């Protein structure tokens, strides 16, 4: 969906208008809750996008607290700033956070760990910028084997487009194994507070839109022939028939993994 950092302002606005309500918005209050954010705290939202987690954090910390979002993509930050000029939006890399040691009480990261070249380094950076006793919390998606809809979908695409499709469509599911996340947290000197598995929903206007969204976001779009793409769309319509309502809207179950850990 947002694998590229070269998003235009229009694409970032589409992200906020369509993808946040259809998928990303639902996890934000869960992540804030998992991190035990409370009134008056200072909270950093890493890879904030248009800022849905930062907004949820502000609802809890109130005006006595501080909320900062940081992202690599200037267009995402522009949309975030336009929507919520009352929060702080900073351009920066999750793997080299532009903040002092121990500047925040809590650092959160939602739906982005799998984009980082070195996720362990990003978690270590989050640990660095929270105070001793502070909390780092991550949200990502469970591995494909635990995804009731996306697992069969990726197998369908691989059946038509070849096994490399599993890799090309694999980004979102690559950092969701709980043991792996616990390992990243431990390597950053954090001790586990809680991990959660949360079944949510991804809403699409149609089954064909699922195929289009998922394939267009990857290099697979340029690699497959039009007739292969058509077969994938037809297969997706059959596969996801059970998830469509009368209007054609498709609601796919999608499993997220959330983890909170404390700096010693
Ligand atoms: C799927 S979006 C999630 C955005 C937001 N956390 C949300 O839940 O809506 C992924 C975000 O990660 C950002 N991103 C990717 N790599 C990054 C990096 N190394 N440092 C900071 N942000 C990064 C992208 O610019 C994008 O805004």
């Amino acid at each position: 969906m947002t694998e590229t950092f070269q998003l235009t302002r229009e694409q970032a606005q589409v992200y906020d208008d369509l993808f946040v309500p259809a998928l990303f918005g639902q996890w934000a209050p869960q992540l804030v809750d998992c991190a035990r954010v409370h009134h008056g705290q200072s909270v950093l939202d890493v890879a904030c996008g248009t800022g849905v987690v930062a907004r949820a954090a502000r609802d809890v910390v109130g005006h006595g607290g501080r909320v900062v979002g940081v992202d690599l993509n200037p267009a995402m930050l522009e949309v975030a700033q336009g929507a919520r000029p009352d929060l702080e939006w900073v351009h920066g890399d999750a793997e080299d956070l532009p903040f002092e040691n121990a500047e925040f009480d809590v650092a959160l990261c939602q739906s982005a760990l799998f984009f980082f070249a070195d996720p362990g380094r990003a978690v270590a950076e989050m640990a660095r910028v929270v105070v001793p006793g502070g909390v780092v919390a991550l949200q990502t998606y469970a591995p494909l084997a635990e995804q009731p809809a996306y697992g069969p979908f990726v197998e369908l695409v691989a059946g038509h487009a070849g096994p490399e499709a599993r890799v090309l469509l694999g980004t979102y599911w690559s950092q969701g194994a709980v043991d792996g996340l616990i390992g990243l947290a431990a390597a950053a000197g954090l001790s586990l507070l809680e991990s959660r598995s949360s079944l949510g929903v991804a809403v699409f206007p149609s089954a064909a839109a699922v195929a289009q969204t998922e394939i267009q976001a990857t290099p697979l779009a340029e690699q497959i022939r039009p007739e292969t793409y058509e077969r994938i769309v037809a297969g997706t319509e059959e596969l996801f028939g059970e998830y469509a309502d009368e209007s054609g809207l498709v609601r796919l179950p999608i499993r997220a993994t959330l983890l909170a850990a404390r700096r010693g």
Side-chain angles (χ1 to χ4, degrees), residues 2 5 15 47-49 52 71-73 92-94 110-112 115-116:
T2 57
F5 305 143
Y15 178 89
C48 62
V52 65
D71 200 282
L72 208 49
N73 191 304
D93 189 342
Q110 169 167 297
S111 295
F115 289 138
F116 304 155

Side-chain angles (χ1 to χ4, degrees), residues 245-259:
D245 68 13
E246 286 152 10
S247 69
L249 214 62
V250 169
R251 296 173 193 279
L252 300 181
I254 180 166
R255 187 170 289 285
T257 306
L258 292 87
L259 177 138

Side-chain angles (χ1 to χ4, degrees), residues 127-216:
R128 178 182 67 77
V129 301
V130 297
V131 293
V135 175
V136 169
L138 310 166
Q139 178 274 356
T140 178
Y141 297 95
L144 270 181
E146 296 169 34
Q147 294 293 348
Y150 281 94
F153 171 73
V154 171
E155 285 312 302
L156 169 90
V157 178
H160 289 290
E164 68 276 15
R166 290 196 190 91
V167 178
L168 294 174
L169 298 181
T171 306
Y172 266 72
W173 328 104
S174 62
Q175 293 291 328
V178 177
D179 287 353
L181 292 177
I182 291 174
L184 289 182
L190 302 165
S191 42
L192 182 67
L193 275 173
E194 182 187 347
S195 70
R196 291 185 193 177
S197 178
S198 174
L199 192 64
V201 63
V203 185
F204 288 88
S206 66
V210 180
Q212 190 194 356
T213 303
E214 301 304 331
I215 290 173
Q216 293 305 330

